[in-house]
């Protein structure tokens, strides 16, 4: 009797572990774990919404990154995003891996620790990021966030550099300011604050560091930790004074414009002329017999 021809292992057979030990799925297993049909999975693959699987002969093996991507697609669809928009976002997501590392965004790539910032980085899935900004996470806005350095991509998640910046930006968007405008303001603000930081850095290097008798990184960090709050206090005070000046001027200009437009609209309807002195109303008309 002829030997049986080799066939694919049954679906119930355990998936072989790749070299890194992470779990892998066949197509049917992945679809079941993601809560979709295998037909939908094939459609997503055809639309380039998923990276190619690992091939072993005729079998396609998917991993946990594919599962995370499918869950993000499902969540974004539920939030009103189109498949075309999701494809563009995922493409920007993949390209963004080369923009900045998570370590750079979180400030962990330097040998010398500087104690000025106490910001807390935030990890977000793509759908969580979309929730923060009410559907305004477009390809252009995502590219701007990556370029400014607000976010980086780590695995299947975004890493935002600061919870305070994230929540502050989301609050501005919730109040009606477009995310694109918030990001453009953030880009300008980052440039301006970088110049302020350069000013203090020159002060420290020119006048403070020459007084030190050590090059030990720990001792220098301790020194900066003592002067850091002074620099931030000065900047906060100057910012408050500048906001008072600028916002007051803008408000006064806006109010004067409103008042002027109101006066013009009221002046459009003129009151009838008053009769001359000594003239009785209706004097020009014939009197009754």
């Amino acid at each position: 009797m002829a030997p049986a021809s080799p066939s694919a292992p049954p679906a119930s057979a355990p998936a072989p572990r790749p070299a890194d030990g992470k779990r892998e799925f066949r197509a049917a297993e992945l679809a079941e774990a993601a809560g979709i049909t295998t037909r939908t999975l094939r459609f997503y693959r055809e639309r380039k919404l998923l990276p190619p699987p690992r091939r072993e002969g005729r079998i396609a093996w998917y991993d946990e990154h594919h599962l995370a991507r499918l869950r993000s697609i499902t969540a974004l669809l539920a939030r009103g995003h189109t498949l075309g928009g999701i494809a563009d976002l995922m493409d920007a997501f993949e390209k963004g891996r080369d923009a900045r590392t998570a370590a750079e965004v979180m400030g962990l790539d330097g040998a010398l620790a500087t104690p000025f910032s106490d910001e807390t980085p935030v990890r977000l899935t793509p759908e969580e990021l979309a929730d923060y900004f009410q559907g305004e996470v477009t390809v252009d806005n995502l590219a701007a966030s990556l370029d400014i350095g607000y976010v980086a991509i780590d695995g299947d998640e975004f890493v935002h550099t600061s919870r305070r910046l994230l929540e502050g930006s989301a609050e501005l968007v919730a109040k009606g300011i477009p995310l694109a405008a918030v990001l453009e303001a953030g880009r300008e603000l980052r440039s301006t604050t970088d110049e302020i930081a350069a000013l203090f850095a020159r002060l420290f290097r020119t006048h403070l560091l020459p007084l030190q008798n050590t090059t030990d990184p720990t001792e220098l960090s301790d020194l900066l930790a003592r002067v850091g709050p002074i620099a931030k206090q000065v900047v906060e005070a100057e910012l408050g004074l500048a906001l008072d000046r600028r916002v007051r001027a803008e408000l006064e200009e806006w109010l004067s414009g409103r008042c002027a437009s109101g006066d013009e609209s009221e002046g459009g309807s003129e009151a009838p002329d008053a009769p001359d002195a000594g003239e009785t109303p209706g004097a020009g008309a014939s009197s009754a017999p």
Side-chain angles (χ1 to χ4, degrees), residues 13 33 63 118 152 232:
D63 58 24
D118 54 0
K232 293 166 79 171

Side-chain angles (χ1 to χ4, degrees), residues 9-288:
S12 59
R17 293 279 179 176
D20 58 9
K22 293 182 178 179
R23 183 182 177 187
E24 288 193 321
F25 308 84
R26 295 180 179 83
E29 295 169 334
L30 178 68
E32 181 180 4
I36 61 175
T37 65
T38 53
R39 182 178 179 182
T40 300
L41 175 60
R42 286 195 299 271
F43 176 71
Y44 288 166
R45 282 182 53 188
E46 292 167 0
R47 292 292 299 268
K48 308 297 184 184
L49 290 169
L50 287 177
R54 180 179 71 85
R55 289 281 178 180
E56 191 175 84
R58 298 177 59 186
I59 306 175
W61 291 107
Y62 300 87
D63 58 24
E64 293 166 351
H65 294 298
H66 293 96
L67 179 57
R69 174 66 60 84
L70 287 173
R71 287 172 173 165
S72 292
I73 292 170
T74 300
L76 289 169
L77 284 172
R79 288 158 172 79
H81 292 260
T82 65
L83 281 176
I86 293 172
D88 289 340
L89 282 175
M90 294 304 172
D91 182 60
F93 186 94
E94 292 300 327
K95 292 177 180 176
R97 294 183 187 277
D98 300 326
R100 276 180 175 82
T101 67
E104 288 175 325
V105 167
M106 293 187 288
L108 302 177
D109 58 330
L112 179 63
T114 49
F116 298 104
S117 173
D118 54 0
E119 299 305 309
T120 303
V122 185
R123 287 186 172 272
L124 301 160
T125 62
E127 58 269 26
E128 287 171 341
L129 186 65
D131 284 345
Y132 262 97
F133 296 104
Q134 304 176 9
E136 290 201 42
V137 180
T138 64
V139 173
D140 289 341
N141 289 340
L142 178 56
S145 297
L146 290 163
D147 184 54
I148 295 169
Y150 281 161
V151 297
I153 294 171
D154 187 27
D156 296 300
E157 295 180 317
F158 291 101
V159 178
H160 197 289
T161 186
S162 163
R163 179 173 295 279
R164 292 196 299 174
L165 285 174
L166 172 65
E167 294 180 349
S169 299
E171 187 65 24
L172 291 174
V173 171
K175 292 188 181 302
I177 302 177
L179 178 56
V182 172
L183 290 171
E184 184 57 33
R187 186 187 298 277
E188 293 183 26
L189 184 60
R190 177 152 292 199
S191 175
T192 300
T193 52
D194 191 67
E195 292 179 8
I196 295 172
L199 186 153
F200 278 99
R202 288 194 299 270
L203 283 177
F204 293 162
R205 180 167 183 174
T206 303
H207 301 286
L208 191 60
L209 292 181
L211 301 176
Q212 310 309 309
N213 296 318
T214 180
T215 57
D216 180 72
T218 301
E219 294 185 21
L220 293 176
S221 293
D222 290 341
L223 170 67
L224 295 176
R226 294 194 297 272
V227 299
I230 301 172
K232 293 166 79 171
Q233 178 181 335
V234 171
V235 172
E236 184 177 359
E238 288 288 358
L239 177 60
L241 293 169
L243 282 170
D244 280 342
R245 293 192 300 269
R246 288 288 189 151
V247 174
R248 187 186 303 116
E250 291 286 346
L251 185 58
E252 289 173 352
E253 182 179 348
W254 180 77
L255 287 173
S256 63
R258 297 266 295 191
C259 292
S261 62
D263 291 342
E264 291 174 2
S265 62
E266 290 177 3
S269 57
E270 297 181 356
D273 294 336
D276 294 336
E279 181 182 348
T280 59
S286 59
S287 56

